[in-house]
Amino acid sequence: PWSLIQPVSTATMFPMYGSRGILWEGHSVVSVGVASPGTAGSPQVAMMRMDANFGTRSMGMQEVSAGLPPLSYHTLHQLPAEDDNERVWVLFGGELRQSQRSGEDGHLLTESVSNALFSSNNLEEWRTVIVPGPKPEGNYWGASLVGMGELLVVFGGQDSYSPHSRLWTFEITSSRWHKRVYAAVNAADGSVYDSCAAVEECANPPPQLNLARYGHSSVVYSGTKVQVGVAASELGLPIVFYGGVSEEHDRPVDEIWVILVPRTGQCTLLGPVVNSGPSSPGGLALHTAAMMSDALFVFGGLRQMQFDSSNELWAFTFAEYVAGSTQSMSGTWRQVPLSGDAMPRVWGHSMVMFNELWIIGGSVCEAEEGEEARCASEDDFEQLQQTTMSVWSIEFVDEMLENLGKENTTAWGGEGRKETTTGYGEDNSFPPGRRGAACILLENSLLMFGGIGKEAEGDGPEIALDDFFRLKLRDDNNVGGGGGWQGVMEWGPLSFPGEKPSGRGHAGVVVREPYVYFFAGDSVMEGELADMWRFDYMSAYPPRCQAVGEATQSAVANEEMEFTIETRTVLGKTPHSCSSEFTVEFHGLQSSSFLSGQVSKEQLPDRCRYSVRYMSTLIGVFQMQITSGGQPIHNSPMEVKVHPGPTFPANSVATGLGLTACQAGVQCGFNVYARDERRNQGLGDDRLRVLIVGPCIGDRLDPVTNLLSPCTGPDTLVAFSRYNYDGSYRVSYTLTAAGNYSMNVLLRGNHHIEGSPFLSTVTASDIHPDLTWIYGRGLSYSEAGLSSNVYVQTRDEFGNNISMQGADTIVPTFVGDDGGEMQVRVRQQALEGGLYEIIYYPFTDDPGMADISVNGIWSMQFNVTPQAVFSPQENVAESLRLIIFAPIACFVFGVGTALVVNRVQALHRKKKQEREKEEKGALQGENEGDGDDENNPRDDAGDEPDGGGMQPESVIREMVQKSFLSAEEGTQARELLKAEDPVAIRALDTYHESTEEDAKKMAVLAHRLKKILFLVDDGLEVAQGGARVPVEPRQG
């Protein structure tokens, strides 16, 4: 489906990188990024704008000269606007570069990250947008993030490759950052360090003070020994942070600090906390920490700046302390012995506390047995590193749990340690190995975001991951403790469409219901980050939601269907709010039809009810897709079968030959298809009745409407019907009486289907000899020289007159008494109703026998004895007179009669011509009168001749006025009459002779005149008397 569009460049093009493009006017792409428009090898870079028009296939590039520094990997967005003049584009962040040359460390010179916001109305001139309120700087990495009430606290981090000691709080309710002022207090004696009494950053600390750091850990204190002495509403719980990397040291620092953060006002940094024990971890970076009662646990991490990973678990137990007193804040470090197999040396991992310590992923040192010392070697460390996604758990024995709060006891007991088996989830997903993942514990689930991993398993460059996973630590039937988790835990990916954080590692993470907050981190490509994201873990998570109800599988056409969507969060809980939006679409699998469902929300006391309503007018199988934010729910897509609605008789149809024709004695049939209101093939579960009424008597054609009228009797029969269980019926019937019948097809009681009642014709069956009979005078009497006739009536076995004309073969045969052929002429013709007339003409009075056969299978004989018309004459003279003079006399009489008739016709024709002249003169007078005075109405009575009949011109004019003829047809009719067309004249005479009403007379005359005009225009022959006269076609 992809094809490369080769554009035609209209300007010099330069390679761009880190650009972002937007669609312009629906046919072009505008991209803004960094390029080097100078000569080859020039170190200078500039912000360039590229325009690509897909309509004209042209490209262009120009430098953005106003308002924008060279920024790559930024974000570019067009704000919605109703008017083109109000369009606004905004550009945020990105990597700020002033040169393409690289330093010895591989970083571009003068490289930094921007957190500025720019806007433009034309993509040519840009201006900086001032964002109210402070916020963390653009470069942030390795900072610690903890949550405390309505505040999120961020301390330290790396800024442009240097650690800092800035303290920020983020107010959740107002979503605003605050840079906090703090005082650094010595935990040993309570004194305030010089130059760090009330600062936003302890930029010039005393030599013994090292606050600026990154890669440290921080947790909220959860014990009871440290008393801050202020109400909890004014001061949150203490925040404990440990370790990290500082510029003043060649290895991670080995210090514990406590931060006291009130809602407003100055904060306090108290430390380093005094270690009363003989040993300590020795300083760690990129390790993990967790609090259990008054004990701080730290595990793993780097003991040197960039190597020597640890596999040790340490615990620091706080001593009694009251804020404001003269006593020092102190405690004791102890290494926690671990039993079982040796723990791997790991750093960049994650750790959460859930009855046990759970350690997830990280970068482990994989040295051969006996070569573990290589993990502490700077030369070998990097090549032995391998990111992993293993999960370990450390289970505390009861004896240790009892002694957690005892500072000086040695009875810690042993700790069980085991590696937990994790497997692939339902969709065969398993997170790749990583370090620096952001992990948080929510109830019995571990959520993990991002981290730094490999582009491919094993070798390959490092990349910043942006994936999101959930690991369920125990099921609902296993509370934990004792034997701990048994079985395999499964990873499950959490995927969300739309915007999400970019890939990063070592991000800070904290939970404040209903959100999980992620802050800062480092990206392999983008460097340090300073953005904050929040994830609503209490909203509906589409892959855990599902549609329930019968309407998710089947529906009835033309009926409103409803089902519900059961929502679940990523933790499998029912969300309380109605913040989620769902889209429901149906796509026909057997057609191109499409429809959508309407989703409604109802807020209930403990949850939100999502109801979906839809109605399909078509039947068939549909694929239903339910999505939220473009992401399908658990059981989407699904197939929904839409069944027909209730039968709608007026839309139901019948087809088949038996519907309109049948033969007597033969079983005929047709099919009936039930339809619903939308003409879908219906269920057909209603009773079908077929009533056959007939045979009809008389003509069924209505002369007014030209429609066939239904039969009214004399009998009514019920046809047999069978339901086919697919919305159709098979109807069969057998009739023995020939004739016309009405087929009344009824559904749902007495409701006719479409086209019912149907008019069907039943024809007679084959001829039956026993029921065929002959009658007529010719059976018993005939005369020589004169014609005689007999009639043959054919019938079938049911007594029906055979009505198929020409189907029967009638063969009459005349044989003389001497065995020879009789001198007789025979002619036969078929009449209506299967009746045949046989006419025979004997030439002599010789007797014989007549045999009449029907179809060669039935015959009847009768004697033929012609009688002589004239008796023999003995007188020769008389015979000659009859033979010679009788014909001559007849001829003379005929000629005389013809002359008389011809004379009469000539007189009639002369009178007719004179009458037409008179009418023509009268018409001209009327036209002249009409021209003189248009307002003078015509007196139609003046058109009446003395004889009481209307003249031809008046008749034609009135027929045009009353719309029996069009104006053009009236003109053509006048021309026919002027030409003395005999057929037209005879039609007009018939009109005058008729005694019917004028309207009916005109209708008949108009019909005949139109037929004459049609024949004349087509050049056909018109009958005149007994002859056929060709008529020349005339144009209208």
Side-chain angles (χ1 to χ4, degrees), residues 8-214:
V8 179
S9 300
T10 59
T12 303
M13 307 297 293
F14 304 100
M16 299 175 67
Y17 62 93
S19 61
R20 295 293 183 267
I22 59 173
L23 188 65
W24 173 268
E25 299 293 349
H27 55 69
S28 302
V29 169
V30 178
S31 183
V32 179
V34 175
S36 178
T39 59
S42 172
Q44 298 301 318
V45 294
M47 201 66 173
M48 304 293 291
R49 169 185 167 184
M50 182 193 73
D51 298 277
N53 190 310
F54 293 103
T56 60
R57 296 195 175 185
S58 61
M59 296 180 67
M61 180 175 283
Q62 60 182 352
E63 184 175 350
V64 180
S65 58
L68 272 185
L71 290 169
S72 59
Y73 307 110
H74 53 270
T75 58
L76 181 65
H77 183 68
Q78 179 182 347
L79 301 180
E82 296 181 357
D83 190 352
D84 293 345
N85 298 325
E86 298 178 357
R87 291 179 177 175
V88 176
W89 290 266
V90 293
L91 185 146
F92 174 74
E95 195 170 57
L96 180 62
R97 295 184 175 181
Q98 304 295 343
S99 172
Q100 289 183 329
R101 293 176 298 183
S102 300
E104 295 181 357
D105 59 354
H107 294 287
L108 292 178
L109 300 178
T110 65
E111 174 186 316
S112 62
V113 180
S114 170
N115 66 347
L117 180 65
F118 302 89
S119 68
S120 174
N121 295 100
N122 52 19
L123 290 175
E124 297 179 359
E125 297 179 358
W126 293 83
R127 59 186 178 275
T128 304
V129 179
I130 305 300
V131 180
K135 60 181 178 296
E137 289 73 9
N139 301 340
Y140 240 75
W141 178 82
S144 63
L145 173 69
V146 292
M148 188 185 63
E150 296 297 324
L151 294 180
L152 305 183
V153 182
V154 178
F155 176 75
Q158 187 178 20
D159 181 4
S160 298
Y161 306 103
S162 298
H164 62 82
S165 60
R166 293 186 286 273
L167 177 64
W168 288 85
T169 59
F170 180 81
E171 189 174 357
I172 296 177
T173 55
S174 62
S175 296
R176 293 181 68 89
W177 285 100
H178 300 278
K179 194 173 186 179
R180 304 300 294 270
V181 174
Y182 63 86
V185 179
N186 192 330
D189 55 14
S191 62
V192 178
Y193 289 102
D194 297 338
S195 71
C196 292
V199 295
E200 292 184 347
E201 180 179 8
C202 199
N204 298 302
Q208 73 276 19
L209 185 62
N210 295 287
L211 285 177
R213 65 190 65 196
Y214 68 94

Side-chain angles (χ1 to χ4, degrees), residues 45 155 201 220 580 666 734 821 830 851 858:
V45 294
F155 176 75
E201 180 179 8
V220 176
S580 301
V666 178
T734 302
E821 183 178 356
D851 181 271
W858 177 88

Side-chain angles (χ1 to χ4, degrees), residues 416-582:
R417 194 278 308 158
K418 62 180 182 297
E419 181 176 354
T420 301
T421 303
T422 58
Y424 291 83
E426 295 180 356
D427 55 354
N428 295 323
S429 298
F430 192 84
R434 67 194 64 203
R435 58 177 171 82
C439 294
I440 193 71
L441 185 66
L442 293 175
E443 299 181 8
N444 64 343
S445 296
L446 174 72
L447 300 186
M448 180 184 69
F449 174 76
I452 304 299
K454 296 288 187 179
E455 187 172 2
E457 291 294 334
D459 298 333
E462 287 189 334
I463 59 172
L465 303 173
D466 63 351
D467 50 6
F468 204 1
F469 280 87
R470 170 183 180 257
L471 179 66
K472 190 174 182 181
L473 297 182
R474 63 177 173 87
D475 60 19
D476 296 335
N477 298 321
N478 188 356
V479 180
W485 173 265
Q486 300 294 331
V488 178
M489 294 182 295
E490 295 180 350
W491 286 100
L494 301 178
S495 58
F496 300 91
E499 193 178 21
K500 67 176 182 178
S502 59
R504 65 193 64 200
H506 308 286
V509 57
V510 69
V511 58
R512 282 296 178 268
E513 187 176 341
Y515 299 109
V516 176
Y517 291 86
F518 298 92
F519 173 70
D522 71 288
S523 172
V524 176
M525 294 298 296
E526 301 178 34
E528 300 87 352
L529 304 172
D531 52 351
M532 175 175 282
W533 292 78
R534 71 181 186 186
F535 166 68
D536 186 359
Y537 67 91
M538 292 300 293
S539 63
Y541 179 51
R544 285 184 171 270
C545 302
Q546 64 178 353
V548 295
E550 184 179 351
T552 61
Q553 299 178 352
S554 63
V556 178
N558 310 313
E559 290 187 10
E560 186 177 72
M561 311 303 298
E562 181 178 359
F563 64 89
T564 59
I565 300 176
E566 291 185 350
T567 55
R568 295 291 185 270
T569 66
V570 293
L571 305 179
K573 304 296 182 181
T574 302
H576 291 224
S577 65
C578 292
S579 59
S580 301
E581 300 292 338
F582 292 92

